[in-house]
Amino acid sequence: MEVPSAARAVKAAKSTAASLGLRADDAVVLNDSNILTLRLLPCDVLARVVPAAHQSAQFEIGIARRLAESGSPVAALDPRVEPRAHARDGFDITLWTYYAPVSAREMPPAEYADALARLHAGMRSIDLPAPHFTDRVEEAQQILADREVSPELAEPDRKILADTLRDLRGAIAGRGEDQLLHGEPHPGNLLATAQGPLFIDFETCCRGPVEFDLAHAPDEVADHYPGVDRELVRQCRILMLAMVTTWRWDRDDRLPDGRRLAEEWMGRIRSALDR
C-alpha cells in the first residue's frame, strides 16, 4: 500500500482490535502489498487489512472456516473474536491466529506435497462459488490489452506475454479435473508451525486442475504429489509465470522490486518457451 494508505490501515487495524477487547499498542508489518498483514501486540493477533473495494475479506473467511471444519491444514481465525470482516475507515480487517515460525529451513518437498494434497481433499468436500482460473488469466490479458494500464511494457515483451497467455489458456482449459484450488499456494503462503504446515491467504481461490496449484510450488513438490500430470504442470508453470510477470507491469502495482522481478521472469519465460 502507499504510505498514507498504509498508515491509515495500521490505525484501522489497531482500533478494530481495541474495540473488540484486544490490546493493540504496537503493529509489526509482516507483509505489505495489496493486503497489509500485521502482527498486533501485545494481544498477539495477525490482522489482514484490505481496501473494502476489493470485496474479498468475507469470501476468504468463508473458505477458511469451511476448510478448518473439514480438518484441512489451514491457519485459524482468532478464536477470541467473531469470525467476520470488520469494516473501518474504508478497509476490511480480519483477525487470525498468529503462528510463531518454528523453522527457517525450506519445507521438504514431500511434506509440502502432502499438505497440498490434504488441502485439495478438503476443498473437494466443500461447495462454494469461486472464479475459474481462466478468469484470472483474462484479468492479466486485459492489462496487456490496455497500454494505458501497462505503459512501460516494451511491445516485444507485450506480444510474448499476450501470445503465451492466449495459447496456454486454451491448451490447459478442459484438461484435468476442475476443483476448488488455493490459487497461489507458493512457499510464502505455507507456514511451518508447531501444528504442522498450514496454508494462509485464500483470497485467490479459484477452480481448475490441481496442476495449476502445483505450478506455484517448488518444482520438486510435484514429484511427491499423487497422480499428477507433469506436462500439465509444466504448462501451468509457464502460464503462471506469464500472469505474475504481467501483473508487475500494471502501473498501479506496488510489489517491492516488482519491475526488476518482471525482467528476470521475462527471461525465464523466453527460456521455457525455447525449450
Side-chain angles (χ1 to χ4, degrees):
M1 292 184 183
E2 295 182 354
V3 173
S5 295
R8 284 179 42 240
V10 170
K11 183 178 179 180
K14 293 169 68 175
S15 298
T16 296
S19 71
L20 297 169
L22 301 175
R23 185 178 168 189
D25 299 332
D26 297 307
V28 179
V29 176
L30 303 180
N31 187 51
D32 182 4
S33 56
N34 60 321
I35 292 179
L36 185 65
T37 305
L38 308 167
R39 182 185 182 186
L40 302 181
L41 297 167
C43 62
D44 215 11
V45 64
L46 187 139
R48 286 169 58 81
V49 190
V50 59
H54 288 197
Q55 298 182 333
S56 60
Q58 198 60 48
F59 171 78
E60 181 178 27
I61 281 184
I63 288 180
R65 291 185 67 188
R66 295 283 295 275
L67 287 172
E69 290 168 359
S70 73
S72 300
V74 300
L77 292 152
D78 191 289
R80 295 170 288 181
V81 299
E82 183 182 355
R84 66 177 180 85
H86 304 272
R88 187 177 292 263
D89 194 19
F91 297 101
D92 285 334
I93 298 101
T94 53
L95 301 176
W96 304 76
T97 298
Y98 173 76
Y99 297 92
V102 297
S103 174
R105 66 183 175 90
E106 291 186 1
M107 184 79 64
E111 191 174 351
Y112 201 129
D114 177 71
L116 188 55
R118 289 188 290 119
L119 178 69
H120 286 156
M123 287 182 149
R124 286 192 291 271
S125 72
I126 63 178
D127 183 20
L128 284 174
H132 197 260
F133 85 90
T134 53
D135 296 329
R136 299 186 62 200
V137 178
E138 185 175 352
E139 291 175 4
Q141 290 175 307
Q142 290 173 355
I143 293 173
L144 296 174
D146 191 339
R147 286 167 175 77
E148 291 187 4
V149 174
S150 50
E152 298 181 39
L153 177 58
E155 289 306 309
D157 289 348
R158 188 186 304 274
K159 185 178 188 311
I160 290 174
L161 290 170
D163 290 349
T164 301
L165 292 176
R166 181 199 63 223
D167 294 346
L168 288 179
R169 174 182 176 176
I172 294 167
R175 292 182 59 189
E177 183 177 347
D178 282 358
Q179 69 151 79
L180 188 63
L181 303 174
H182 181 287
E184 291 186 1
H186 54 69
N189 283 333
L190 181 58
L191 305 179
T193 77
Q195 291 76 29
L198 298 176
F199 284 96
I200 60 172
D201 194 355
F202 294 94
E203 66 160 346
T204 55
C205 280
C206 59
R207 303 195 70 83
V210 296
E211 285 83 359
F212 183 78
D213 263 0
L214 281 163
H216 293 76
D219 291 350
E220 299 81 4
V221 172
D223 295 334
H224 301 273
Y225 194 101
V228 67
D229 182 335
R230 294 306 302 266
E231 174 58 18
L232 186 54
V233 172
R234 187 190 71 83
Q235 291 180 323
C236 287
R237 197 176 297 282
I238 300 172
L239 177 68
M240 177 272 295
L241 197 56
M243 290 166 63
V244 298
T245 301
T246 298
W247 293 332
R248 301 292 74 81
W249 288 108
D250 186 329
R251 66 185 178 194
D252 295 326
D253 185 62
R254 293 292 180 267
L255 184 72
D257 211 17
R259 295 299 165 81
R260 184 195 64 78
L261 290 171
E263 296 286 358
E264 176 184 326
W265 295 338
M266 202 67 222
R268 290 169 57 185
I269 291 170
R270 290 192 191 93
S271 296
L273 293 175
D274 288 343
R275 289 197 297 271

